[in-house]
Amino acid sequence: MSFMRGNLLSKTRKLVKGMARAEPLWLKAMEEAPPATFPRAEGKIQTITLPEDAYVKKFYNKYPDSKYHDPIKISSFDHPPSRIYALRVLELKEQGISEEQAMALADMQYLAEKKEKKKAYARLKQIARLKGKKPPPNPYPSAIKEIQAEEKKYVRERFHNPKIREILEQQKAEANQRFGNSSW
């Protein structure tokens, strides 16, 4: 029924009128009290833009590696670094600082915070080594390393999964039959 225009009521009427379908029991009741119709948006739906979006784009242009930080972590209450940067620029502009100076100041604060997090983790590792314990996992890991850690199990599985090894052996046998007794 997706090729026909209209709602369920009009589609069903067309099918009944064309004798493609028997009249359902609910059709008369639905014709007497048709369902509510909701107005549709006319034309193109406008995108929602926030005042800080321009600065978020500039941040990602300046620090492309930070794109890997998930901008929408539903379980987190913390803003991503790009949003914090943009909000800081807007806050500084409201205080009367020029845009260039505000961006430079927010940039310095972002880099200082990033450096501070690295130092804090280095200190945690040092304390763990002094106590003779295993260092804790990095609380501020690189986004790329997080992705690699997630993919690591699949890479390892590729070499140890018996089904994949079986497929590999079949491919080797087919190659030997095609090209003679050459080894891979």
Side-chain angles (χ1 to χ4, degrees):
M1 281 203 269
S2 63
F3 59 89
M4 288 191 281
R5 290 195 164 269
N7 58 15
L8 178 67
L9 184 61
S10 63
K11 287 179 183 182
T12 308
R13 274 191 206 137
K14 287 177 188 176
L15 290 172
V16 170
K17 187 177 178 183
M19 293 186 202
R21 179 178 181 173
E23 185 174 327
L25 299 173
W26 51 263
L27 187 62
K28 286 182 184 176
M30 197 169 187
E31 285 174 339
E32 290 174 12
T37 56
F38 298 101
R40 292 189 178 191
E42 293 179 18
K44 190 175 180 182
I45 297 172
Q46 295 178 348
T47 57
I48 298 172
T49 56
L50 299 173
E52 67 264 18
D53 285 349
Y55 299 110
V56 169
K57 285 181 184 178
K58 288 179 183 178
F59 177 84
Y60 283 134
N61 286 338
K62 194 167 192 171
Y63 302 105
D65 288 344
S66 65
K67 284 183 181 179
Y68 300 109
H69 289 283
D70 192 4
I72 302 172
K73 288 190 177 178
I74 294 171
S75 63
S76 175
F77 291 105
D78 300 329
H79 291 292
S82 59
R83 189 73 47 194
I84 293 170
Y85 172 86
L87 292 171
R88 182 68 178 142
V89 169
L90 287 176
E91 180 184 319
L92 291 169
K93 279 181 66 177
E94 286 176 5
Q95 293 175 3
I97 298 175
S98 70
E99 182 177 351
E100 289 178 10
Q101 289 178 337
M103 287 176 60
L105 188 59
D107 187 40
M108 286 175 24
Q109 289 174 349
Y110 167 71
L111 292 174
E113 183 181 335
K114 194 173 177 182
K115 195 174 188 179
E116 194 176 299
K117 286 180 179 180
K118 284 184 180 181
K119 279 185 179 179
Y121 178 61
R123 182 68 182 141
L124 279 174
K125 284 193 328 190
Q126 187 180 24
I127 291 169
R129 283 191 197 115
L130 289 173
K131 291 182 176 181
K133 296 181 179 179
K134 184 179 175 184
N138 190 351
Y140 317 107
S142 147
I144 295 171
K145 288 183 180 177
E146 282 182 349
I147 293 168
Q148 288 174 343
E150 288 176 17
E151 293 174 345
K152 196 173 194 175
K153 61 182 175 184
Y154 299 114
V155 172
R156 283 190 179 154
E157 181 183 327
R158 181 175 68 183
F159 297 110
H160 301 292
N161 188 344
K163 290 180 182 177
I164 294 174
R165 306 245 346 131
E166 197 174 296
I167 292 169
L168 180 65
E169 293 300 325
Q170 287 176 355
Q171 287 178 345
K172 281 183 182 180
E174 288 174 9
N176 285 338
Q177 288 176 355
R178 256 191 257 149
F179 304 114
N181 241 353
S182 63
S183 63
W184 276 23

